[in-house]
Amino acid sequence: MNGEFLTPIDAFTVIDLIFMSMLVVVGIAIVRLKDLFAVVMLSGVYSLVSAAWFVSLDAVDVAFTEAAVGAGISTVLMLGAMLLTARQAAPTKPARHWVALIVVCATGAALLYATVDMPSFGDPLSAPNAYIGLEYLKRTGPETGVPNVVSAVLASYRGYDTFGETTVILTAGLGVVLILGLGGPAIKRKKAPAKTKAAKANQSKILGAHHVVLRVISKLMIPVIIIYGAYVQFHGDFGPGGGFQAGLIIASAIILYALIYGIDAAKEAVPPSLVRLGAALGVLIYGGVGVINLLLGGNFLEYNILNPTHPAHGQELGIMFVEIGVLVTVASVMLIIFYGFTSRQPDIKDKDW
Amino acid sequence: MSALIASDILSLLPAWVLMHAAALLVVTPLLSGPIALILSRGRLAWAWALGISIITFMLALVLYGQVLEHGSVMYVFGNWAPPVGITYNIDALNILILLIVAGMGLLSLINGLPSVMQEIEPKDQAPFFAAYMLCLAGLMGVAITGDAFNVFVFLEISSISTYILVAMGGSKDRRALTSSFNYLILGTIGATFFVIGLGLVYMATGTLNMADITVQLHENGDSRVVRAAFAFIVIGLGLKTAMFPLHTWLPGAYSYSPTMVGTFLASTATKVAFYAMVRFIFGVFSTGEPFDGALLELVLAPMAVAAMIICSVQALYQMDLRKLLAYSSVAQLGYMLLGLSMGTAAGLSAGLLHMFNHALMKGALFMGVGIFGLRYGVRRVPDLAGLGKTMPVTAAAFTVSGLSLIGMPLTAGFVSKYYLIIAALERGWWWAVAAILASSVLAIFYVWKMVEMMYLREAPKAKSRARKPQAKAPLLALIPLLILAVANVWFFFDASLPKGLTDAAAAALLGGGAS
Amino acid sequence: MSSGIEFWQYLTGHFNYIVVITLMMTGLYIVISTGNLVKKLVGLGVFQTAVFQLYITMGKVTGGQPPILEGVHESAAGEAAATVAEHGKAAATTATTHGEHAVQATISIAKTMDDVLVDGVLYSNPLPHVLILTAIVVGVATLAVGLALVVRIRESYGTIEEDELQEANYQHAKGALS
């Protein structure tokens, strides 16, 4: 729309081009490979390169989340699911190939058709950049006092979307509870029968016993990870981070504990019933803040009302509480998912690896 | 008259509820989900969900009263005035959807208790009801919001919970798992197309508030980005609506899911997506481009007709009762899309009226099949033999709803088809009239197939083992069915409630008074 | 001459979109073409991540900084906040009324380079970042449910290839008929 803006060609362009070509290469490799292990690992690489590109595009919060989710949780989940299912994909049938090609060409053509009227890359005066996005940049400082505009928009201006997002996470947790189950509480017996889900746990327990170095290091690491999680949580107002990323980090500390000391030990420390409660509680905390706003005479999620004399403080308070809600739900649901997948018996024997 | 009753209800409630009714309508079921999860006992969670559903339905009535009084209601989240913050906007169009979803959510829940107790493992019952409440909240969130991206978030709450609810049929029939997975893949592709469309809209306008998008589109004018955005949003929502060639997920999802889920989805889920489509086509993109009209007439209308004919034929060949009803649903969606594709106020109003009536009839039919299933393990058409004698009340209610599905006079189905034909004639679309009549004839055949089985065939004596009642007479399940059957007749004689809303909605979206 | 330059300008200004579209289509191709359920989900992930890239690349401002404000301290915020509060009060009274009286914030669209500076600093657009944070979370939620379903499908069918699953379902239907 603003024809006068020309995208400059500089060092950033070169970096962007490198990231983009890496993404294309990885994408094509995923299409061609049939070994699921390679496919899953490459999808992790794809996410990690995306995250790096997001940093170059100034989206630091998104990069953080994409790295944690795409390259971290998603890859681990897919590896876990692969372990429970199959390692090879069957070759693509020609019929499918052609159907896919037709759909993709039609869709791609529609998008390429649209590129002609798209604003130039990096144009500060383009429609998306010159309107509401800019308004948030101008308002956030005076209205909320939170330097990280993304945190402020996420938790306050568009806080209701984030409430929905937290509910989506809870829904995913519910899904895993209903579809896979949580595998019940920790099994107290020292030696579980070899065929149950405890077998894998026990096995890693034995492995752990052998790996003294791992045990000691992880004992040192876990508190540090949790402190880092707390830092990411409470520093989210000032730099990249927030409840979602912190929840992932804290969950990963417990998952690390489970990997080294066994699922049973983890389930004794953090029982499934508690995790289930936590998933529900986080959403209730988030919604509770909204309901308190209502009771105090404001609209839903109107944090200003929390501190009538100094609305910006009210905003900070509100943002802090809802982020705690996000943290609790995210950490709990990640553990639900972990417990859910580990409660199933792996189909591939360890020796096949 | 209903306006008077509505204002009576309004005057009884505290001002606080009136002020925040819009937010409470969605937030109440949304927060009840996690609480149901904590309750962790099936019947308790059901009772809780029932209480919340009643409150939700009352809130929908309150909003209905407010819409009648003021024309439209707006709620501003966080008190950030739009387009900075997220708003809820309720008008004649979406209050109709909200009433359908809240009402059918309540009735399916009452109807569903016996079947859930039978089909779902006790330890899974509380999370099941939690997922149900989240699905209900998600669907209403889509219908009520005035923010385009908020549509996506709540669409995903409802979709993900739907995948889960459908998969819960997997303990009885493993095909529920593959159906759910198919739905997940297609649903996510649909949602992603929708997000691409939203991205393009944002690229062209810089805003996400629906009303503001319309304003900005008006100022910026047509561009290739806007056209592509329109196409992606329509296709994305089309997948969720089960628009004809994109409907492949629907029959499996409706027929293998737990009974209660099938009933609820058949009467709400596609309706909400259809609403979103109407809102985007005529509300958000209402810039009056020739492109829209051509797309509607050349793409949507043929698809609608194809759905009406092809899926009715497919329904005719189904022996599985719920699959038959599911294919019929895709065909009936064709009627609604036909009304939409006419692009006139009369057509849109008729399409929306058919949507309302279809929720009543399909809800009742799925409930009927559910009760037969609960009592005698009925799943297939031949299993219906002799049920007209052994279960006369249920069979009668089922038959009335079936007649409504055909569009017989004295039932609600007749009214909406009548208006649809009038609108088609106004537009000069004789072929559409022919398609409506042809599809109705096909409907006579597949409904007759079931009715004949119930009343004219004797129950097979040889299979006496299968004829034994498997459960007590589920009065709880019967009441919602009877309510819907009566509604199917009631709205023939007095269609003023839905017709008033659909006319107002169509007039607001397309200008000019509907007949 | 001019058409060549115009095309070059189009290419430099839109190269990122073209690559992102290519990536999207790669993901969509994987979803549709493969019959393996795990690989389908991987494809879905590639598709969705490419959509995230579309949003983020749209919000990039040349020469801009990440949207973390410089020099915002609580004390600085205090003064302005008081006036905002007044403004908010006014909005509160009208926002809850019904119908046409509903408030609409008036926001000017930036026309010159001076308009887009916030306290003299140029930032990238935060809104796409916020939307994509939400979308990433939705994506991982879908993935978790999808993988859980894959595990259950493997347990009850013994395969995760779509063609074999369809065959099994077809046999099941045939068995029910006879």
Coordinates of all heavy atoms in Angstrom, one line a residue, chain A residues 7-8 17 30-31 33 50 58-59 65 85 90 92 96-97 115 118-119 121-122 128-130 133 135 138 142-143 147 149 165 169 179 238 244 311 316 344 347, chain C residues 10 13-17 29 33 39 42 53 57 60 62 64 67-69 74 80 84-85 107 110-111 115 124-125 129 133-134 137 152 154-155 161-163:
Chain A
T7 N 12.5 -2.1 0.8 CA 13.2 -2.9 1.8 C 14.7 -2.8 1.5 O 15.1 -3.1 0.4 CB 12.7 -4.3 1.6 OG1 11.3 -4.4 1.6 CG2 13.3 -5.2 2.8
P8 N 15.5 -2.3 2.5 CA 16.9 -2.2 2.3 C 17.6 -3.6 2.2 O 17.1 -4.5 2.9 CB 17.4 -1.4 3.5 CG 16.4 -1.7 4.5 CD 15.1 -1.9 3.8
L17 N 18.1 -14.5 4.8 CA 18.1 -15.4 3.7 C 18.7 -16.7 4.1 O 18.3 -17.8 3.7 CB 19.0 -14.8 2.6 CG 18.3 -13.8 1.6 CD1 19.2 -13.2 0.7 CD2 17.1 -14.5 0.9
I30 N 12.1 -33.2 5.2 CA 11.0 -33.9 6.0 C 10.1 -34.6 5.0 O 9.6 -35.7 5.2 CB 10.3 -32.9 6.9 CG1 11.2 -32.4 7.9 CG2 9.1 -33.6 7.5 CD1 10.6 -31.3 8.8
V31 N 9.8 -33.9 3.9 CA 8.9 -34.5 2.8 C 9.5 -35.8 2.4 O 8.7 -36.8 2.2 CB 8.8 -33.5 1.6 CG1 8.0 -34.2 0.5 CG2 8.1 -32.2 2.1
L33 N 11.9 -37.9 3.7 CA 12.3 -39.0 4.5 C 11.2 -39.9 5.0 O 10.0 -39.4 5.1 CB 13.0 -38.4 5.8 CG 14.4 -37.8 5.5 CD1 14.9 -37.1 6.7 CD2 15.4 -39.0 5.2
S50 N 13.5 -21.8 13.1 CA 12.4 -20.8 13.1 C 12.6 -19.8 14.3 O 12.5 -18.6 14.2 CB 11.0 -21.4 13.2 OG 10.7 -22.2 12.1
D58 N 12.9 -9.7 15.6 CA 12.6 -8.9 16.8 C 11.5 -9.6 17.6 O 11.0 -9.0 18.6 CB 12.1 -7.5 16.5 CG 13.2 -6.7 15.8 OD1 14.3 -7.1 16.0 OD2 12.9 -5.7 15.2
A59 N 11.1 -10.8 17.3 CA 10.0 -11.4 18.1 C 10.7 -12.3 19.2 O 10.7 -13.6 19.1 CB 9.1 -12.3 17.2
T65 N 9.3 -19.0 23.1 CA 8.2 -20.0 23.2 C 8.4 -21.1 22.1 O 8.2 -22.3 22.4 CB 6.9 -19.3 23.1 OG1 6.9 -18.2 23.9 CG2 5.8 -20.3 23.4
T85 N 4.7 -46.3 18.9 CA 3.9 -46.7 17.7 C 4.8 -47.4 16.6 O 4.8 -48.6 16.5 CB 3.2 -45.5 17.0 OG1 4.1 -44.5 16.8 CG2 2.1 -45.0 18.0
A90 N 5.2 -45.6 5.8 CA 5.0 -46.3 4.5 C 5.2 -45.2 3.4 O 5.0 -44.1 3.5 CB 3.7 -46.9 4.4
T92 N 4.7 -42.9 0.1 CA 3.5 -42.2 -0.3 C 2.9 -42.9 -1.6 O 3.6 -43.2 -2.5 CB 3.8 -40.7 -0.7 OG1 4.3 -40.1 0.5 CG2 2.6 -40.0 -1.1
R96 N -2.4 -40.2 -3.5 CA -2.2 -39.2 -2.5 C -1.3 -38.1 -2.9 O -1.6 -36.9 -2.7 CB -1.6 -39.8 -1.2 CG -2.6 -40.6 -0.4 CD -1.8 -41.1 0.8 NE -2.7 -41.9 1.6 CZ -3.5 -41.4 2.5 NH1 -3.6 -40.1 2.6 NH2 -4.3 -42.2 3.2
H97 N -0.2 -38.5 -3.6 CA 0.8 -37.5 -4.0 C 0.1 -36.5 -4.9 O 0.3 -35.3 -4.8 CB 1.9 -38.2 -4.7 CG 2.8 -37.3 -5.5 ND1 3.7 -36.5 -4.9 CD2 2.9 -37.1 -6.8 CE1 4.4 -35.8 -5.8 NE2 3.9 -36.1 -7.0
T115 N 0.5 -11.9 -2.7 CA 1.7 -11.2 -2.3 C 1.9 -9.9 -3.1 O 2.5 -9.0 -2.5 CB 3.0 -12.1 -2.7 OG1 3.0 -12.4 -4.0 CG2 3.0 -13.3 -1.8
M118 N 0.8 -7.2 -1.0 CA 1.2 -7.1 0.4 C 2.2 -6.0 0.6 O 3.0 -5.6 -0.3 CB 1.9 -8.5 0.7 CG 0.9 -9.6 0.9 SD 1.8 -11.1 1.4 CE 0.5 -12.3 1.3
P119 N 2.3 -5.5 1.8 CA 3.2 -4.4 2.1 C 4.7 -4.9 2.0 O 4.9 -6.1 2.3 CB 2.9 -3.9 3.5 CG 2.1 -5.1 4.1 CD 1.4 -5.8 3.0
F121 N 8.4 -5.9 3.0 CA 9.0 -6.4 4.2 C 9.7 -5.3 5.0 O 10.5 -4.6 4.5 CB 10.0 -7.5 3.9 CG 10.7 -8.0 5.0 CD1 10.1 -8.6 6.1 CD2 12.1 -8.1 5.0 CE1 10.7 -9.1 7.2 CE2 12.8 -8.6 6.1 CZ 12.1 -9.1 7.2
G122 N 9.3 -5.1 6.3 CA 9.9 -4.1 7.1 C 9.4 -2.7 7.0 O 9.9 -1.8 7.7
P128 N -0.6 -3.0 8.9 CA -0.5 -3.7 10.2 C 0.4 -3.0 11.2 O 0.1 -3.0 12.4 CB 0.1 -5.1 9.9 CG 0.6 -5.0 8.5 CD -0.1 -3.9 7.8
N129 N 1.4 -2.3 10.7 CA 2.4 -1.8 11.7 C 2.0 -0.4 12.1 O 2.5 0.1 13.2 CB 3.8 -1.7 11.1 CG 4.3 -3.1 10.8 OD1 3.8 -4.1 11.5 ND2 5.3 -3.3 10.0
A130 N 1.2 0.3 11.4 CA 0.9 1.7 11.7 C -0.4 1.9 12.5 O -0.7 3.1 12.8 CB 0.8 2.5 10.4
G133 N -1.1 -2.1 16.4 CA 0.2 -2.5 17.0 C 0.9 -1.4 17.6 O 1.5 -1.4 18.7
E135 N -0.4 1.5 18.5 CA -1.1 2.0 19.6 C -0.7 1.3 20.9 O -0.6 2.0 21.9 CB -2.6 1.8 19.3 CG -3.5 2.3 20.4 CD -3.6 3.8 20.5 OE1 -3.1 4.5 19.6 OE2 -4.1 4.3 21.5
K138 N 2.4 2.7 22.2 CA 2.3 4.0 22.8 C 1.6 3.9 24.2 O 1.9 4.7 25.1 CB 1.5 4.9 21.9 CG 2.3 5.3 20.7 CD 1.5 6.2 19.7 CE 2.4 6.6 18.5 NZ 1.5 7.2 17.5
P142 N 2.5 4.3 29.7 CA 1.8 5.0 30.6 C 0.7 4.2 31.3 O 0.4 4.5 32.5 CB 1.2 6.2 29.8 CG 1.4 5.8 28.4 CD 2.5 4.9 28.3
E143 N 0.0 3.3 30.6 CA -1.2 2.7 31.2 C -0.8 1.5 32.1 O -1.6 1.2 33.1 CB -2.1 2.2 30.1 CG -2.9 3.4 29.5 CD -3.8 2.9 28.4 OE1 -3.9 1.7 28.1 OE2 -4.6 3.8 27.9
P147 N 7.4 -2.8 30.9 CA 8.2 -2.5 29.7 C 8.0 -3.5 28.5 O 8.1 -3.1 27.4 CB 9.6 -2.6 30.2 CG 9.5 -2.5 31.7 CD 8.2 -3.1 32.0
V149 N 6.1 -5.0 26.1 CA 4.7 -4.7 25.5 C 4.0 -6.0 25.2 O 2.8 -6.1 25.4 CB 4.9 -3.8 24.2 CG1 3.5 -3.5 23.7 CG2 5.7 -2.6 24.5
E165 N -6.6 -19.2 25.8 CA -5.5 -20.0 25.5 C -5.1 -20.9 26.7 O -4.8 -22.1 26.5 CB -4.3 -19.0 25.3 CG -2.9 -19.6 25.1 CD -1.8 -18.6 25.3 OE1 -2.0 -17.5 24.8 OE2 -0.8 -18.9 25.8
I169 N -5.1 -25.1 26.9 CA -4.1 -26.0 27.5 C -4.7 -27.0 28.4 O -4.5 -28.2 28.4 CB -3.0 -25.2 28.2 CG1 -2.4 -24.2 27.3 CG2 -1.9 -26.1 28.8 CD1 -1.4 -23.3 28.1
I179 N -8.0 -39.8 27.1 CA -7.6 -40.7 26.0 C -6.6 -41.7 26.5 O -6.6 -42.9 26.1 CB -7.1 -39.9 24.8 CG1 -8.2 -39.1 24.2 CG2 -6.6 -40.9 23.7 CD1 -7.8 -38.1 23.2
F238 N 9.7 -7.5 32.2 CA 10.8 -6.7 31.7 C 11.5 -7.2 30.5 O 12.0 -6.4 29.7 CB 11.8 -6.5 32.9 CG 11.1 -6.0 34.1 CD1 10.8 -6.9 35.1 CD2 10.9 -4.7 34.3 CE1 10.1 -6.5 36.3 CE2 10.3 -4.2 35.5 CZ 9.9 -5.1 36.4
F244 N 3.8 -18.9 30.5 CA 3.8 -20.0 29.7 C 5.2 -20.7 29.6 O 5.4 -21.9 29.9 CB 3.3 -19.7 28.3 CG 3.2 -20.9 27.4 CD1 2.1 -21.7 27.5 CD2 4.1 -21.1 26.4 CE1 2.0 -22.8 26.8 CE2 4.0 -22.3 25.6 CZ 2.9 -23.1 25.8
P311 N -4.0 3.1 38.9 CA -4.4 2.0 38.0 C -3.2 1.2 37.4 O -3.3 0.0 37.2 CB -5.1 2.7 36.9 CG -5.5 4.0 37.4 CD -4.5 4.4 38.5
E316 N -0.3 -4.0 37.0 CA 0.8 -4.9 37.3 C 0.4 -6.1 38.1 O 0.8 -7.2 37.9 CB 1.9 -4.1 38.0 CG 2.8 -3.4 37.0 CD 3.9 -2.6 37.7 OE1 4.5 -3.1 38.7 OE2 4.1 -1.4 37.3
R344 N 1.9 -45.7 29.1 CA 1.7 -46.7 28.1 C 2.9 -47.5 27.8 O 4.0 -47.0 28.0 CB 1.3 -46.0 26.8 CG 0.0 -45.2 26.9 CD -1.1 -46.2 26.8 NE -2.3 -45.7 27.4 CZ -3.6 -46.2 27.2 NH1 -3.7 -47.2 26.5 NH2 -4.6 -45.6 27.8
D347 N 6.2 -50.0 22.4 CA 6.1 -51.1 21.5 C 7.4 -51.4 20.9 O 7.6 -52.5 20.4 CB 5.1 -50.6 20.4 CG 4.4 -51.8 19.8 OD1 3.7 -52.4 20.6 OD2 4.6 -52.1 18.6
Chain C
Y10 N 9.8 -5.6 -6.1 CA 8.8 -6.6 -5.6 C 9.5 -7.7 -4.9 O 9.1 -8.2 -3.8 CB 7.9 -7.0 -6.8 CG 7.1 -8.3 -6.5 CD1 6.0 -8.3 -5.6 CD2 7.5 -9.5 -7.0 CE1 5.3 -9.5 -5.3 CE2 6.9 -10.7 -6.7 CZ 5.8 -10.6 -5.9 OH 5.1 -11.8 -5.6
G13 N 11.2 -6.9 -1.6 CA 10.2 -6.5 -0.6 C 9.3 -7.7 -0.2 O 8.7 -7.7 0.9
H14 N 9.2 -8.7 -1.1 CA 8.3 -9.8 -0.8 C 8.9 -11.2 -0.8 O 8.2 -12.2 -0.7 CB 7.2 -9.8 -1.9 CG 6.4 -8.5 -1.8 ND1 6.8 -7.4 -2.4 CD2 5.2 -8.2 -1.2 CE1 6.0 -6.4 -2.2 NE2 5.0 -6.9 -1.5
F15 N 10.3 -11.2 -0.9 CA 10.9 -12.5 -0.9 C 10.6 -13.4 0.3 O 10.3 -14.6 0.2 CB 12.5 -12.3 -0.9 CG 13.2 -13.5 -1.2 CD1 13.2 -14.0 -2.5 CD2 13.9 -14.2 -0.2 CE1 13.9 -15.2 -2.8 CE2 14.6 -15.3 -0.5 CZ 14.6 -15.8 -1.8
N16 N 10.5 -12.7 1.5 CA 10.2 -13.5 2.7 C 8.8 -14.1 2.6 O 8.6 -15.2 3.0 CB 10.3 -12.5 3.9 CG 9.4 -11.3 3.8 OD1 9.2 -10.8 2.7 ND2 8.9 -10.9 4.9
Y17 N 7.8 -13.4 2.1 CA 6.5 -13.9 1.9 C 6.5 -15.2 1.0 O 5.8 -16.2 1.3 CB 5.5 -12.9 1.4 CG 5.3 -11.7 2.2 CD1 5.5 -10.4 1.8 CD2 4.9 -11.9 3.6 CE1 5.3 -9.3 2.6 CE2 4.6 -10.8 4.4 CZ 4.9 -9.5 3.9 OH 4.6 -8.4 4.6
Y29 N 1.5 -30.1 2.1 CA 1.8 -31.3 1.2 C 2.0 -32.5 2.1 O 1.5 -33.6 1.8 CB 3.0 -31.0 0.3 CG 3.3 -32.2 -0.5 CD1 2.6 -32.5 -1.7 CD2 4.3 -33.1 -0.1 CE1 3.0 -33.7 -2.4 CE2 4.6 -34.3 -0.8 CZ 3.9 -34.5 -2.0 OH 4.2 -35.7 -2.7
S33 N -0.3 -35.7 1.8 CA 0.3 -36.8 1.0 C 0.6 -38.1 1.9 O 0.5 -39.2 1.4 CB 1.6 -36.4 0.3 OG 2.6 -36.2 1.2
K39 N 3.7 -38.7 10.9 CA 4.3 -37.8 10.0 C 3.2 -36.7 9.6 O 3.6 -35.6 9.3 CB 4.8 -38.6 8.7 CG 5.7 -37.7 7.9 CD 6.4 -38.5 6.8 CE 7.1 -37.6 5.9 NZ 7.7 -38.2 4.7
V42 N 3.6 -34.2 12.1 CA 4.8 -33.4 11.8 C 4.5 -32.3 10.8 O 4.8 -31.2 10.9 CB 6.0 -34.3 11.4 CG1 7.1 -33.4 11.0 CG2 6.4 -35.2 12.6
Q53 N 5.4 -17.8 11.0 CA 6.4 -17.0 10.3 C 5.8 -15.9 9.5 O 6.3 -14.7 9.4 CB 7.3 -17.9 9.4 CG 8.2 -18.8 10.2 CD 8.7 -20.0 9.4 OE1 8.3 -20.1 8.2 NE2 9.5 -20.8 10.0
T57 N 6.9 -12.1 10.3 CA 7.6 -11.4 9.2 C 6.8 -10.1 8.9 O 7.4 -9.1 8.5 CB 7.8 -12.3 8.0 OG1 8.8 -11.8 7.2 CG2 6.6 -12.6 7.2
K60 N 7.6 -7.2 11.4 CA 9.0 -6.7 11.5 C 9.1 -5.3 10.9 O 8.4 -5.0 9.8 CB 9.9 -7.6 10.7 CG 11.3 -7.1 10.4 CD 12.2 -7.0 11.6 CE 13.5 -6.5 11.3 NZ 14.3 -6.1 12.5
T62 N 11.8 -2.5 9.7 CA 13.3 -2.3 9.4 C 13.9 -1.3 10.3 O 13.3 -0.2 10.5 CB 13.4 -1.8 7.9 OG1 12.8 -2.8 7.1 CG2 14.9 -1.7 7.6
G64 N 13.9 -1.5 13.5 CA 13.2 -1.5 14.7 C 13.9 -2.4 15.8 O 14.8 -3.1 15.5
P67 N 10.0 -5.3 20.8 CA 9.0 -4.4 21.5 C 9.1 -4.5 23.0 O 8.2 -4.8 23.7 CB 7.6 -4.9 21.0 CG 7.9 -6.3 20.6 CD 9.3 -6.4 20.2
I68 N 10.3 -4.1 23.6 CA 10.4 -4.0 25.0 C 10.9 -2.6 25.2 O 11.9 -2.2 24.8 CB 11.5 -5.0 25.5 CG1 11.0 -6.4 25.3 CG2 11.8 -4.8 27.0 CD1 12.0 -7.5 25.6
L69 N 10.0 -1.8 25.9 CA 10.2 -0.4 26.0 C 11.4 0.0 26.7 O 11.8 -0.6 27.8 CB 8.9 0.3 26.6 CG 7.6 0.1 25.9 CD1 6.5 0.6 26.7 CD2 7.6 0.7 24.5
E74 N 8.2 2.6 37.0 CA 6.9 2.8 37.6 C 6.7 4.3 37.9 O 5.6 4.8 37.6 CB 6.8 2.0 38.8 CG 6.6 0.6 38.5 CD 6.6 -0.2 39.8 OE1 6.2 0.3 40.8 OE2 7.0 -1.4 39.7
A80 N 1.3 9.8 34.1 CA 0.4 9.6 32.9 C -0.7 8.6 33.3 O -1.9 8.8 32.8 CB 1.2 8.9 31.8
V84 N -4.8 8.6 32.5 CA -5.4 7.5 31.8 C -6.6 7.0 32.6 O -7.6 6.6 32.1 CB -4.4 6.4 31.5 CG1 -5.1 5.1 31.0 CG2 -3.4 6.9 30.6
A85 N -6.4 7.0 33.9 CA -7.5 6.5 34.8 C -8.7 7.3 34.6 O -9.8 6.7 34.5 CB -7.0 6.6 36.3
I107 N -8.3 6.0 17.2 CA -6.8 5.8 17.0 C -6.4 6.3 15.7 O -7.0 6.0 14.7 CB -6.5 4.3 17.1 CG1 -6.9 3.8 18.5 CG2 -5.0 4.1 16.9 CD1 -6.9 2.3 18.6
A110 N -0.7 6.0 11.7 CA 0.5 6.7 11.5 C 0.7 6.9 10.0 O 0.5 6.0 9.1 CB 1.7 5.9 12.0
K111 N 1.1 8.2 9.6 CA 1.3 8.5 8.2 C 2.7 8.8 7.9 O 3.2 8.6 6.8 CB 0.4 9.8 7.9 CG -1.1 9.5 8.0 CD -1.6 8.9 6.6 CE -3.1 8.8 6.7 NZ -3.5 7.5 7.3
D115 N 5.5 9.6 13.2 CA 4.4 9.1 14.0 C 4.7 7.7 14.6 O 4.1 7.3 15.6 CB 3.2 8.9 13.1 CG 2.7 10.3 12.6 OD1 3.0 11.3 13.2 OD2 1.9 10.3 11.6
S124 N 9.5 -2.9 16.6 CA 8.7 -3.8 15.8 C 7.3 -3.9 16.4 O 7.1 -3.7 17.6 CB 9.4 -5.1 15.6 OG 10.5 -5.0 14.7
N125 N 6.4 -4.4 15.6 CA 5.0 -4.5 16.0 C 4.8 -5.7 16.9 O 5.0 -6.8 16.6 CB 4.2 -4.7 14.7 CG 2.7 -4.7 14.9 OD1 2.2 -4.6 16.1 ND2 1.9 -4.7 13.8
H129 N 3.2 -10.8 17.5 CA 3.9 -11.6 18.5 C 2.9 -12.2 19.5 O 2.9 -13.4 19.8 CB 4.9 -10.9 19.2 CG 5.9 -10.2 18.3 ND1 7.0 -9.5 18.8 CD2 6.1 -10.2 17.0 CE1 7.7 -9.0 17.8 NE2 7.2 -9.4 16.7
L133 N 2.0 -16.1 19.9 CA 2.2 -16.9 21.2 C 0.9 -17.7 21.5 O 1.0 -18.9 21.9 CB 2.4 -15.9 22.3 CG 3.8 -15.3 22.4 CD1 3.9 -14.2 23.5 CD2 4.8 -16.4 22.8
T134 N -0.2 -17.1 21.3 CA -1.5 -17.9 21.5 C -1.6 -19.0 20.5 O -1.9 -20.2 20.9 CB -2.7 -16.9 21.3 OG1 -2.5 -15.8 22.2 CG2 -4.0 -17.6 21.6
V137 N 0.6 -22.1 21.4 CA 0.0 -22.9 22.5 C -1.1 -23.7 22.0 O -1.2 -24.9 22.3 CB -0.5 -21.9 23.6 CG1 -1.2 -22.7 24.7 CG2 0.7 -21.2 24.2
R152 N -3.4 -44.5 21.0 CA -4.6 -45.4 21.2 C -4.9 -46.1 19.9 O -5.3 -47.3 19.9 CB -5.8 -44.6 21.6 CG -5.8 -44.3 23.1 CD -6.2 -45.5 23.9 NE -7.5 -46.0 23.6 CZ -8.6 -45.5 24.1 NH1 -8.6 -44.6 25.0 NH2 -9.8 -46.0 23.7
R154 N -2.8 -47.0 17.5 CA -1.8 -48.1 17.4 C -2.2 -49.3 18.3 O -2.1 -50.4 17.9 CB -0.4 -47.5 17.8 CG 0.7 -48.5 17.8 CD 1.0 -49.1 16.4 NE 2.2 -49.9 16.5 CZ 2.2 -51.1 16.9 NH1 1.1 -51.7 17.3 NH2 3.3 -51.9 16.9
E155 N -2.7 -49.0 19.5 CA -3.0 -50.0 20.4 C -4.2 -50.9 20.0 O -4.2 -52.1 20.2 CB -3.3 -49.5 21.8 CG -2.1 -49.0 22.6 CD -2.4 -48.4 23.9 OE1 -3.6 -48.2 24.2 OE2 -1.4 -48.0 24.6
E161 N -0.8 -46.5 9.8 CA -0.9 -46.1 8.4 C -2.3 -46.0 8.0 O -3.1 -46.9 8.2 CB -0.2 -47.2 7.5 CG 1.3 -47.2 7.7 CD 2.1 -46.0 7.2 OE1 1.5 -45.3 6.3 OE2 3.2 -45.7 7.7
E162 N -2.7 -44.8 7.4 CA -4.1 -44.5 7.1 C -4.7 -45.6 6.2 O -5.9 -46.0 6.5 CB -4.2 -43.1 6.5 CG -5.5 -42.5 6.8 CD -5.5 -41.0 6.4 OE1 -5.0 -40.7 5.3 OE2 -6.1 -40.2 7.1
D163 N -4.0 -46.0 5.2 CA -4.6 -47.0 4.3 C -5.0 -48.3 5.0 O -6.1 -48.8 4.7 CB -3.6 -47.2 3.1 CG -3.3 -46.0 2.3 OD1 -4.3 -45.2 2.1 OD2 -2.2 -45.7 2.0

